[in-house]
Amino acid sequence: MADQSSNHSVSSAKEGMLTYCYLLLYIALSSGQIFFNKWVLSSKEINFPYPLGLTLLHMTFSSVLCFVLTKVLKILKVEEGMTLEIYTTSVIPIGAMFAMTLWLGNTAYLYISVAFAQMLKAVMPVAVFILGVAAGLEVMSMRMLMIMSVISFGVLVASYGEININWIGVVYQMGGVVGEALRLIFMEIFVRKKGLKLNPISMMYYVSPCSALCLLIPWIFLEKPKMDAQGAWSFQPLVLTLNSICTFALNLSVFLVIQHTSALTIRVAGVVKDWVVVLLSAILFADTKLTLINIFGYAIAIAGVAAYNNFKLKKEVTRATGSDNNPSSSQIPTTK
């Protein structure tokens, strides 16, 4: 009996350690990728100031690697249930918004610091909620209005404290926030209305080629002429391949964290990652100068984000409990 208890304790300890390792991997990769992208886009050594081109490279690399892993090596499995109707009405809008988010978000790094970009991203729940209400997915309430006001006030205070504010960068970053909010709304409609739930690998397999195509068209008109004008393309294969591998590894780490933890854990890890990025960027990049007003405003916004996450999780738990109590009302997924 004592041996069984001892084995159970060892097993629980190992599982706990593994979970912490996945969380640390996610925080390290997520933070590292932001710094890596900033360095590639703005450093004189790499000399690759093409956010569209970089994002297009990421999506093309992800498409090829997903195909190799699922269809050639067959290490991972793509879930079935995808139809042409679902692809055209759901996957294409998600892919287009994902492309828009990455393109505009990466472009913002050319104009504003990583820390300030991260502070502006804190307004994401506000954009998601407003668009959710417009789409009929969310219901306006006094509590949510208070939470949205706290987040907005915090972001405004953080922006007021920014010394080197560049409005072009702010517009690009806010455009990226709107794109991400629309992507999340489309994802929710995709799951609720279509009843199809895909794991992240399957989602990447379907979405990446669509995003790559959406990025290819503007790249041909906006960035390719600039790259051609330089003569020989400034292209460092080793650095850009490593950057693309890190992007793919980040997506896989999200998959591992979601698989081994809860929705609350991934959201808490996201908040920790945001603070890591803000504080580390002040050390790593010369264009980042944090003020007390910056930090105070960001702390207010993060408190609002934490309240929003808590509210959403309680709502999800209530919905899940209701579904369990009334199985006939729950959606029947089309996947096995």
Side-chain angles (χ1 to χ4, degrees):
M1 193 77 177
D3 287 343
Q4 282 183 344
S5 176
S6 174
N7 289 337
H8 180 70
S9 298
V10 170
S11 175
S12 297
K14 279 183 180 176
E15 201 173 304
M17 281 296 291
L18 198 62
T19 301
Y20 280 117
C21 286
Y22 286 137
L23 282 170
L24 286 171
L25 180 70
Y26 162 72
I27 292 168
L29 282 170
S30 188
S31 309
Q33 188 60 36
I34 290 168
F35 297 137
F36 201 171
N37 286 349
K38 170 74 173 176
W39 180 63
V40 168
L41 291 167
S42 61
S43 79
K44 288 183 176 124
E45 297 86 29
I46 304 300
N47 191 26
F48 194 80
Y50 306 111
L52 249 175
L54 185 66
T55 313
L56 174 59
L57 186 68
H58 289 166
M59 290 297 99
T60 306
F61 184 87
S62 179
S63 303
V64 173
L65 201 54
C66 277
F67 181 80
V68 170
L69 289 172
T70 55
K71 300 298 179 184
V72 180
L73 300 176
K74 297 186 178 176
I75 297 169
L76 300 165
K77 189 171 177 263
V78 175
E79 292 182 38
E80 296 172 1
M82 183 61 66
T83 64
L84 183 63
E85 189 264 334
I86 291 174
Y87 195 88
T88 51
T89 59
S90 297
V91 175
I92 289 176
I94 290 167
M97 289 305 105
F98 192 42
M100 175 181 160
T101 301
L102 296 173
W103 167 23
L104 297 179
N106 281 334
T107 305
Y109 292 142
L110 296 174
Y111 300 95
I112 58 177
S113 69
V114 169
F116 187 46
Q118 210 64 30
M119 289 176 189
L120 291 174
K121 278 183 192 174
V123 83
M124 179 74 69
V126 179
V128 172
F129 182 71
I130 291 168
L131 290 168
V133 170
L137 298 171
E138 299 281 358
V139 179
M140 185 65 77
S141 67
M142 200 62 200
R143 187 176 176 183
M144 283 303 284
L145 202 61
M146 282 292 293
I147 291 170
M148 297 303 115
S149 301
V150 168
I151 295 171
S152 302
F153 176 70
V155 172
L156 279 172
V157 171
S159 302
Y160 180 76
E162 181 65 13
I163 298 168
N164 304 315
I165 194 163
N166 184 309
W167 290 106
I168 296 171
V170 171
V171 169
Y172 273 120
Q173 187 58 57
M174 295 314 289
V177 166
V178 170
E180 178 63 4
L182 283 168
R183 185 184 76 85
L184 292 170
I185 294 295
F186 284 136
M187 286 279 285
E188 193 161 348
I189 292 169
F190 177 58
V191 173
R192 277 199 201 177
K193 303 280 171 74
K194 310 295 180 186
L196 185 66
K197 291 186 180 180
L198 301 174
N199 63 36
I201 284 292
S202 300
M203 188 56 80
M204 282 164 65
Y205 175 82
Y206 291 119
V207 169
S208 296
C210 176
S211 295
L213 190 63
C214 290
L215 290 162
L216 179 65
I217 297 160
W219 175 77
I220 289 168
F221 293 103
L222 297 175
E223 282 188 358
K224 189 177 179 293
K226 292 180 190 173
M227 293 171 80
D228 289 337
Q230 276 197 332
W233 284 9
S234 173
F235 193 87
Q236 297 198 25
L238 185 62
V239 173
L240 294 175
T241 302
L242 188 60
N243 186 259
S244 299
I245 290 169
C246 287
T247 304
F248 190 81
L250 171 60
N251 290 328
L252 276 182
S253 74
V254 173
F255 172 51
L256 288 168
V257 169
I258 290 168
Q259 203 173 41
H260 290 87
T261 63
S262 65
L264 175 62
T265 311
I266 190 81
R267 281 171 177 166
V268 170
V271 171
V272 172
K273 181 265 296 180
D274 291 342
W275 275 108
V276 167
V277 169
V278 168
L279 297 174
L280 271 181
S281 64
I283 300 165
L284 295 173
F285 297 106
D287 67 347
T288 302
K289 289 178 177 64
L290 291 178
T291 64
L292 281 173
I293 299 173
N294 271 150
I295 295 166
F296 178 65
Y298 189 52
I300 293 170
I302 287 295
V305 171
Y308 171 79
N309 286 341
N310 184 50
F311 182 81
K312 287 290 286 180
L313 281 165
K314 282 181 178 175
K315 196 174 170 185
E316 284 166 19
V317 168
T318 307
R319 191 186 296 154
T321 308
S323 297
D324 290 342
N325 292 338
N326 186 12
S328 62
S329 66
S330 63
Q331 280 187 310
I332 302 168
T334 57
T335 52
K336 292 180 182 178

